[in-house]
Amino acid sequence: MKVKEPVQVYNRKLLTIEEYLAFERNSLTKHEYFKGEVFDMAGASTIHNLIFSNLFMSIAIQLKGKKCTPFGSDMRVHIPSNTLFTYPDISIFCGDIKTFDDEKDSSIEPIVIIEILSSSTKNYDRGPKFELYREIPSLKEYVLVDSESRLVQIFRTNANNQWNLEEYEEPKQNLFMSSINVTIPLEDIYDKTGLAL
């Protein structure tokens, strides 16, 4: 998702969380929230959507009948410690899904987050957004999938709660998400995108 400049809501720049949620629940488009500021989120390219479909289908099939559930970018995720509300491309929750309030439309504590990168979002997703995501106590793996070249990066926590990076670039390599025991070949992730071979 592309993040733009803060949008004016209610003719004021800064909103409380309650004001943001009231606005967002009646909006036809998605907005990210951080410390009172509201950011418009744009749509995605065809390649982005192909990668999403390939990933989501593979993950959903492998998690069928298990305790973990994947969600697409309509799932709003909240991080109480830093106020962020956002819409990851894919978020995976295990066990009972905890929500922010009684409306049950903003979930907390995903175990895996996947973002599909574009030229306009890659710096944000790799830098500031990852810093915010690291404050999620349940998060075990953060996956970045490039939509302009064949490159998948996965950050995962180790026994010392530090983040380690693994990279995958070859079609015959397999992305392995250990926290949910899901394996996906890169050639499947990039199927029909022109980046698979």
Side-chain angles (χ1 to χ4, degrees):
M1 292 290 182
K2 183 178 179 182
V3 179
K4 299 181 179 178
E5 292 301 309
V7 296
Q8 291 287 335
V9 183
Y10 299 139
N11 296 316
R12 7 182 332 200
K13 188 171 184 179
L14 297 180
L15 299 183
T16 66
I17 287 176
E18 291 74 19
E19 288 170 333
Y20 160 74
L21 289 173
F23 165 76
E24 191 71 354
R25 286 164 179 155
N26 290 292
S27 175
L28 297 178
T29 57
K30 298 173 188 172
H31 303 86
E32 190 170 88
Y33 175 93
F34 181 63
K35 292 186 176 179
E37 292 186 286
V38 178
F39 301 86
D40 188 26
M41 302 183 76
S45 69
T46 299
I47 290 180
H48 180 290
N49 284 315
L50 283 169
I51 291 171
F52 168 81
S53 296
N54 294 338
L55 277 167
F56 194 86
M57 182 170 54
S58 293
I59 293 168
I61 289 171
Q62 293 183 58
L63 291 181
K64 186 175 181 180
K66 299 181 180 178
K67 64 176 183 176
C68 298
T69 307
F71 293 90
S73 61
D74 284 334
M75 172 62 83
R76 186 167 56 243
V77 171
H78 176 50
I79 308 173
S81 63
N82 59 39
T83 77
L84 181 70
F85 284 85
T86 190
Y87 297 84
D89 289 314
I90 298 174
S91 52
I92 300 167
F93 297 80
C94 296
D96 294 332
I97 298 172
K98 299 178 182 178
T99 56
F100 170 66
D101 59 18
D102 291 339
E103 293 292 329
K104 300 186 183 300
D105 58 1
S106 299
S107 297
I108 60 175
E109 299 187 8
I111 193 168
V112 177
I113 288 178
I114 302 173
E115 295 285 14
I116 301 167
L117 306 179
S118 67
S119 58
S120 62
T121 65
K122 62 175 59 177
N123 290 335
Y124 175 59
D125 288 339
R126 285 187 176 126
K129 199 168 194 180
F130 184 30
E131 289 183 18
L132 297 173
Y133 281 155
R134 287 202 296 265
E135 293 188 33
I136 301 172
S138 60
L139 190 66
K140 300 301 181 188
E141 292 174 300
Y142 180 49
V143 183
L144 298 171
V145 182
D146 202 315
S147 67
E148 298 176 316
S149 64
R150 190 179 59 236
L151 174 63
V152 176
Q153 298 171 303
I154 181 167
F155 295 86
R156 56 169 58 95
T157 55
N158 61 23
N160 298 318
N161 209 30
Q162 297 173 321
W163 290 90
N164 295 328
L165 169 65
E166 291 181 19
E167 295 186 333
Y168 306 86
E169 297 181 82
E170 299 302 321
K172 298 304 179 184
Q173 287 184 297
N174 296 321
L175 167 65
F176 176 58
M177 290 173 275
S178 60
S179 63
I180 54 174
N181 194 28
V182 166
T183 301
I184 310 174
L186 255 66
E187 59 187 354
D188 290 354
I189 294 173
Y190 287 104
D191 185 42
K192 299 180 182 177
T193 65
L195 299 170
L197 301 177

